[in-house]
């Protein structure tokens, strides 16, 4: 197995990178100026988090790559992000539902990482958890407003939840990398976070007048690179175009 610490850091960085790029796709296209600015800021926050996680990953790897190289010069099968964050934006409701499901996990994960036995990881988590809490506050309020809104907005949010729910379970699946990190006190037991995540997510969905799908099925394979959806390849083709076409280009 590749260095588990390197793999773990890639997972943190790739989640932030892929979701940050997805959110940025709304720039100039959001349904209201306020939402346009808010989504752009959330995207920037996530890209900032990416730089810290992938920068540390590059140092751990020790092969001369930096955060930019890890972001722009890896192929799709080298990415270690959750399948949830690579799902397409769809309509505004689907984008906010994806954000909410991930935000609730991200806050719990980063809060736990502030107590990591590795000071560098604890430091990055402490710098980013406040942003994640803001993201969660906002996405939670918006999910409730849209779910408990009009008949049409409720229908769209229910469709988004039904579509994305099968991708939520991967966040709590433990594999060899996660177990190695937990055993060394570097990262939390992800399975143990599920109960806290449910305590945030389920009441919110209830307030939004949405019905949680009656299924525990979970798509898996994104965070270990075994399987990605076709959406990630298309996204990377756009995101990596400049660096691929003009390597080492500078403004």
């Amino acid at each position: 197995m590749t260095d588990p610490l390197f793999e773990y850091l890639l997972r943190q960085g790739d989640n932030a990178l892929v979701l940050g790029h997805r959110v940025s796709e709304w720039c100039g296209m959001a349904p209201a100026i306020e939402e346009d600015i808010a989504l752009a800021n959330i995207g920037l926050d996530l890209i900032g988090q990416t730089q810290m996680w992938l920068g540390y990953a590059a140092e751990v790897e020790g092969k001369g790559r930096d955060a930019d190289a890890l972001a722009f010069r890896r192929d799709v099968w080298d990415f270690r992000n959750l399948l949830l964050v690579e799902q397409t934006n769809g309509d505004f409701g689907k984008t906010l539902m994806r954000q909410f499901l991930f935000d609730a996990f991200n806050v719990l994960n980063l809060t736990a990482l502030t107590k990591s036995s590795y000071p560098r990881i604890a430091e990055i988590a402490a710098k980013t958890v406040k942003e994640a809490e803001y993201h969660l506050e906002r996405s939670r309020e918006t999910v409730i407003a849209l779910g408990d809104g009009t008949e049409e907005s409720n229908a769209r949010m229910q469709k988004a939840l039904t579509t994305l729910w099968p991708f939520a379970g991967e966040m709590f699946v433990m594999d060899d990398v996660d177990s190695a990190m937990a055993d060394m006190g570097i990262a939390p037991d992800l399975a143990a976070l599920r109960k806290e995540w449910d305590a945030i997510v389920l009441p919110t969905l209830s307030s939004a007048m949405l019905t949680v799908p009656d299924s525990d099925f979970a798509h898996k394979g994104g965070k270990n690179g075994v399987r990605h959806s076709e959406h990630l390849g298309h996204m990377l083709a756009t995101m990596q175009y400049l660096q691929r076409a003009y390597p080492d280009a500078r403004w």
Side-chain angles (χ1 to χ4, degrees):
M1 180 170 66
T2 309
D3 182 347
L5 178 59
F6 175 65
E7 286 283 316
Y8 183 77
L9 294 170
L10 284 183
R11 294 177 182 187
Q12 308 311 306
D14 288 349
N15 283 337
L17 173 63
V18 173
L19 185 59
H21 185 83
R22 278 284 184 238
V23 174
S24 76
E25 292 172 347
W26 276 99
C27 189
M29 300 176 63
I33 291 176
E34 183 183 52
E35 297 299 333
D36 203 298
I37 293 172
L39 288 171
N41 281 330
I42 290 170
L44 284 173
D45 287 344
L46 290 167
I47 297 303
Q49 295 173 22
T50 300
Q51 194 163 33
M52 287 186 275
W53 288 121
L54 293 188
Y56 187 23
E59 291 178 32
V60 169
E61 183 190 38
K63 294 183 178 179
R65 294 197 287 184
D66 58 14
D68 285 344
L70 290 175
F72 295 118
R73 297 188 187 178
R74 281 182 296 149
D75 291 327
V76 62
W77 299 115
D78 296 325
F79 273 73
R80 297 291 184 264
N81 58 276
L82 296 163
L83 293 171
L84 173 67
V85 299
E86 70 189 47
Q87 299 308 301
T88 53
N89 287 335
D91 61 19
F92 186 67
K94 184 183 176 187
T95 294
L96 267 294
M97 181 61 73
R98 183 189 61 201
Q99 189 73 36
F100 170 62
L101 297 176
F102 178 77
D103 286 343
F105 167 77
N106 203 28
V107 167
L108 296 173
N109 186 47
L110 290 173
T111 299
L113 289 177
T114 61
K115 302 173 183 175
S116 172
S117 60
Y118 272 34
R120 181 76 171 274
I121 289 178
E123 178 184 338
I124 294 173
K127 286 182 178 178
T128 57
V129 71
K130 292 298 181 185
E131 293 174 346
E133 288 171 346
Y134 163 73
H135 298 166
L136 173 59
E137 179 182 350
R138 190 177 180 285
S139 61
R140 177 164 48 191
E141 290 176 354
T142 311
V143 164
I144 292 174
L146 292 174
D148 191 22
T150 66
E151 183 176 344
E152 179 178 353
S153 69
N154 175 269
R156 289 193 181 198
M157 294 307 289
Q158 184 63 59
K159 181 180 179 182
L161 176 61
T162 303
T163 301
L164 295 172
W165 188 257
F167 294 98
E170 187 185 14
M171 295 188 286
F172 309 101
V173 173
M174 292 287 286
D175 63 9
D176 290 344
V177 171
D178 298 312
S179 295
M181 295 297 99
D183 290 344
M184 290 188 284
I186 295 174
D189 182 326
L190 296 175
L193 296 182
R194 180 62 190 254
K195 187 175 181 180
E196 294 177 78
W197 185 82
D198 284 344
I200 297 172
V201 169
L202 298 183
T204 299
L205 297 177
S206 178
S207 296
M209 309 302 288
L210 300 174
T211 302
V212 176
D214 184 21
S215 173
D216 293 329
F217 173 76
H219 292 289
K220 293 175 283 189
K223 69 177 185 178
N224 56 16
V226 171
R227 184 172 73 90
H228 283 291
S229 66
E230 64 179 299
H231 307 308
L232 182 62
H234 289 292
M235 195 205 86
L236 294 180
T238 300
M239 189 186 81
Q240 296 180 333
Y241 168 75
L242 189 63
Q243 282 284 337
R244 295 280 190 173
Y246 305 99
D248 301 321
R250 292 288 183 272
W251 290 103

